[in-house]
Amino acid sequence: MLQRWLPESVLGARLDPGRAGRLGLLLAAVLALIVVIVTTWVDRPVAEPAPSPPLPVPMAPAAPAPPAPPPDLVISVVGEVARPGLVTVPSGARVADALEAAGGTNAGTDITALNLARRLADGEQLYVAVPVPPGANAGQVQPGPGPGTSSTKVDLNTATEEQLDALPGVGKVMAERIVQWRTRHGRFSSVDQLQDVEGIGDTRLSKLRELVQV
C-alpha cells in the first residue's frame, strides 16, 4: 500500500545513515539495553530474611515452700492465777509463758516450787500454789525415753509424797525424805542431787533417772 504513494526515486534509494548514524544507533541500542537491565534489577523480588527465633527466657528457680510452723500448745492452768483454764501458747513456750497467758498469778502467791524456765508439752496441766491431786503428774508431761517406758516424768520440785511414793523403789519413807530435803534446800537443781537424800545410792538413782526431772 505504501509503495503506491512513494515515488520510485525514494523506493529505489538505499538508506545509508553513514558512520555517524550507525554510531548513534549503536549508542542508542546500548543505552536501551542498560535501561532494561537496570529496570529489571530494581523491580526484581527481594527475599525477606526469616525472623530469628525468640531467645529462650530463663526460668527463675521455684522458691522452696517455707516449712509449716509447729502447732501451738494447749495448756491447762489451775490454781492461783487470774484466769484459770485452758491457755494457748506457741511451741517452745515455757511455764512462765503459760502463767502470763493465764493472766499472771494472784497477789501474794508463792511460785518458788514452779520451774518457770521449763519447756511446756502439749496437753499438760500446771498446778499453781495448790495441792496436786494424788495420781496427777504435776503438769510435767513429757515424752518418755523410749518404747515400753513411762510417758510422764515426775518433777522432784513439785511432786507430792504420794507421787514420789508411786515411783518404783522409793516407798513412803523415801518419799518423805525427798520432800524434807526439798524443804530444807529449796529445790533440786539436778536429778543427781537425789544422791544427797539418805538411802538413795547409785543403783536406786539409775532406776529413777528416767522417771523424774527438775
Side-chain angles (χ1 to χ4, degrees):
M1 182 67 69
L2 184 61
Q3 294 176 355
R4 295 176 55 186
W5 300 98
L6 294 176
E8 292 183 4
S9 59
V10 174
L11 293 173
R14 295 178 62 185
L15 295 177
D16 186 4
R19 183 177 180 182
R22 288 193 298 273
L23 183 59
L25 292 174
L26 179 60
L27 291 176
V30 171
L31 289 175
L33 180 59
I34 292 174
V35 170
V36 172
I37 294 174
V38 171
T39 304
T40 304
W41 176 263
V42 172
D43 293 340
R44 80 190 190 285
V46 179
E48 296 183 359
S52 302
L55 296 176
V57 179
M59 299 294 293
D72 291 338
L73 309 178
V74 179
I75 309 298
S76 173
V77 183
V78 297
E80 297 297 325
V81 292
R83 296 188 300 271
L86 296 178
V87 298
T88 301
V89 293
S91 177
R94 302 176 185 271
V95 170
D97 299 320
L99 294 182
E100 182 179 357
T105 58
N106 297 330
T109 302
D110 182 12
I111 58 173
T112 56
L114 288 177
N115 181 3
L116 299 180
R118 181 178 62 80
R119 288 183 182 273
L120 296 169
D122 184 55
E124 72 173 86
Q125 190 166 40
L126 293 177
Y127 296 90
V128 182
V130 294
V132 180
N137 56 18
Q140 312 301 322
V141 178
Q142 291 189 355
T149 61
S150 175
S151 62
T152 63
K153 288 187 177 183
V154 174
D155 193 312
L156 295 175
N157 293 314
T158 59
T160 62
E161 290 186 13
E162 289 80 7
Q163 288 179 277
L164 296 170
D165 185 13
L167 292 172
V170 175
K172 181 176 178 59
V173 175
M174 191 61 64
E176 291 177 355
R177 291 177 182 175
I178 293 174
V179 173
Q180 290 172 1
W181 189 98
R182 187 175 66 196
T183 302
R184 290 194 301 267
H185 297 86
R187 60 182 292 105
F188 288 92
S189 60
S190 70
V191 174
D192 290 338
Q193 282 187 308
L194 278 176
Q195 289 184 304
D196 297 338
V197 179
E198 182 183 357
I200 297 182
D202 293 339
T203 301
R204 184 168 292 177
L205 177 62
S206 64
K207 295 179 180 179
L208 296 175
R209 190 181 298 278
E210 300 299 331
L211 302 176
V212 297
Q213 65 180 8
V214 295

